[in-house]
C-alpha cells in the first residue's frame, strides 16, 4: 500500500523567511503533484513533476522530485501572507489509470 | 477554462433521505473522479470514471452510487447515509484516466454534506 508522508504538518513562519516542505512516499512513482487548498475552498494545482530531477518554479514556490529517494520538496522563498494555505503533495499510483494518494497536508501560516 | 462546477454547495440530509450531487465540466476531459474529504484531512479517492465507464471503485459502501450520464456530467447518488458520511465531496476531472504525462486533475469547489 502506498504511503505518502508530509512534514511538517503545521508550519508557522514569518514573512520574508524561507522554508521547505517535504513529501516522502513509499513505492515507486514518477508522477507527483503539488496542490494548494485555501480554507473552505477547492484544490488548486501548483506543480506536476514527472521525472527524476524535475524542478519547477512559480513565483516564490519551487518544487523538486528525487524518484530514487522517493522524495519531493516544496521550497518557499521570502514568504508572504498570501501563501498561507494547506499544501498537499499527491502521488499517482495508477498503473492503468490515474489514482492519486495525497499526503496529510502541510498547514502553512505566514505571519506579518 | 479549467472550471469544474459542483452543485449544490451545501446539503443537509437525514439518514432516510435520497439526494444527488452533481458535477459538470466542459473541458473535454474524459476522466472524472469523486473524492471525500473530512475536515483537516486529505482527499480520499472514491470513484473514477474513464470514458463514461466506472473504472475504479475504492471499496465505497453501496449507499454511494455514482453515475456518468455523459462525458461532461458526473452524479453521486446518496441513500441511507450515516452521520460519519458528513464531509466535503469533491469532484475532479482530467484529460484522461490513462497513464500519461501531465494528467492534471482539476477540482471543483465541492459539496459540503451534513448527515443528521
Amino acid at each position: 500500500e502506498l504511503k505518502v508522508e508530509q512534514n511538517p504538518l503545521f508550519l508557522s513562519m514569518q514573512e520574508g523567511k524561507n522554508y521547505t516542505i517535504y513529501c516522502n512516499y513509499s513505492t515507486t512513482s514518477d508522477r507527483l503533484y503539488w496542490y494548494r487548498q485555501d480554507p473552505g475552498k477547492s484544490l488548486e494545482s501548483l506543480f506536476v513533476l514527472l521525472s527524476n530531477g524535475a524542478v519547477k518554479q512559480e513565483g516564490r514556490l519551487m518544487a523538486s522530485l528525487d524518484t530514487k529517494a522517493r522524495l519531493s520538496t516544496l521550497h518557499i522563498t521570502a514568504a508572504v501572507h498570501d501563501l498561507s494555505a494547506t499544501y498537499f503533495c499527491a502521488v499517482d499510483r495508477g498503473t492503468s489509470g490515474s489514482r492519486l494518494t495525497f499526503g496529510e497536508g502541510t498547514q502553512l501560516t505566514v505571519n506579518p | 477554462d479549467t472550471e469544474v462546477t459542483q452543485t449544490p454547495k451545501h446539503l443537509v440530509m437525514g439518514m432516510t433521505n435520497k439526494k444527488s450531487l452533481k458535477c459538470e465540466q466542459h473541458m473535454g476531459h474524459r476522466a472524472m473522479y469523486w473524492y471525500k474529504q473530512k475536515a483537516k484531512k486529505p482527499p480520499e479517492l472514491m470513484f473514477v470514471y474513464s470514458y463514461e465507464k466506472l473504472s475504479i471503485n475504492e471499496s465505497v459502501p453501496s449507499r454511494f452510487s455514482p453515475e456518468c450520464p455523459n462525458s461532461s456530467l458526473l452524479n453521486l447518488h446518496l441513500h441511507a447515509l450515516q452521520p460519519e458520511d458528513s464531509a466535503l465531496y469533491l469532484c475532479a476531472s482530467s484529460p484522461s484516466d490513462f497513464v500519461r504525462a501531465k494528467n492534471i486533475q482539476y477540482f471543483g469547489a465541492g459539496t459540503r454534506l451534513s448527515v443528521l
Side-chain angles (χ1 to χ4, degrees):
Chain A
E1 181 189 345
L2 172 62
K3 291 191 190 316
V4 182
E5 294 181 347
Q6 279 182 242
N7 71 83
L9 298 183
F10 299 94
L11 177 55
S12 181
M13 56 191 297
Q14 284 191 310
E15 282 190 328
K17 298 293 187 183
N18 305 333
Y19 209 83
T20 300
I21 299 169
Y22 297 88
C23 173
N24 289 91
Y25 53 97
S26 60
T27 62
T28 302
S29 175
D30 57 1
R31 283 166 289 142
L32 189 138
Y33 302 80
W34 283 96
Y35 284 89
R36 167 182 172 148
Q37 188 174 35
D38 291 288
K41 303 286 187 181
S42 188
L43 282 84
E44 174 191 355
S45 174
L46 295 174
F47 300 107
V48 182
L49 302 167
L50 297 172
S51 60
N52 187 40
V55 177
K56 296 283 183 71
Q57 182 161 6
E58 181 73 36
R60 300 174 188 275
L61 300 177
M62 183 173 71
S64 67
L65 179 62
D66 180 343
T67 58
K68 294 179 182 175
R70 297 178 188 165
L71 170 68
S72 180
T73 62
L74 181 66
H75 186 72
I76 303 154
T77 302
V80 292
H81 180 68
D82 284 353
L83 290 179
S84 297
T86 298
Y87 293 84
F88 292 99
C89 63
V91 176
D92 195 337
R93 57 194 161 105
T95 52
S96 61
S98 182
R99 304 174 75 167
L100 293 184
T101 298
F102 284 81
E104 286 292 309
T106 297
Q107 187 176 319
L108 171 66
T109 303
V110 181
N111 302 303
Chain B
D1 181 14
T2 56
E3 189 169 352
V4 177
T5 305
Q6 288 187 245
T7 54
K9 292 193 187 322
H10 301 275
L11 179 62
V12 179
M13 60 186 291
M15 289 189 284
T16 58
N17 293 157
K18 286 184 182 181
K19 296 285 185 183
S20 296
L21 310 185
K22 179 179 171 182
C23 173
E24 203 161 1
Q25 58 88 14
H26 296 287
M27 295 178 276
H29 288 174
R30 302 314 301 270
M32 296 185 78
Y33 310 80
W34 281 115
Y35 289 85
K36 174 182 178 180
Q37 187 178 25
K38 301 282 271 184
K40 306 289 188 187
K41 290 293 184 183
E44 294 178 350
L45 183 64
M46 299 173 72
F47 302 104
V48 180
Y49 270 84
S50 176
Y51 291 81
E52 296 142 59
K53 291 192 184 337
L54 183 64
S55 62
I56 295 173
N57 175 343
E58 294 280 34
S59 303
V60 179
S62 60
R63 56 187 185 268
F64 296 90
S65 176
E67 178 196 19
C68 189
N70 59 60
S71 60
S72 300
L73 189 56
L74 185 67
N75 298 320
L76 186 63
H77 302 298
L78 314 172
H79 173 56
L81 294 194
Q82 304 297 310
E84 60 263 29
D85 296 321
S86 299
L88 180 68
Y89 288 84
L90 293 163
C91 173
S93 71
S94 70
S96 170
D97 182 36
F98 297 115
V99 174
R100 62 181 60 181
K102 283 195 126 175
N103 195 24
I104 297 172
Q105 293 187 25
Y106 296 91
F107 285 80
T111 294
R112 192 161 299 280
L113 174 67
S114 297
V115 182
L116 304 179

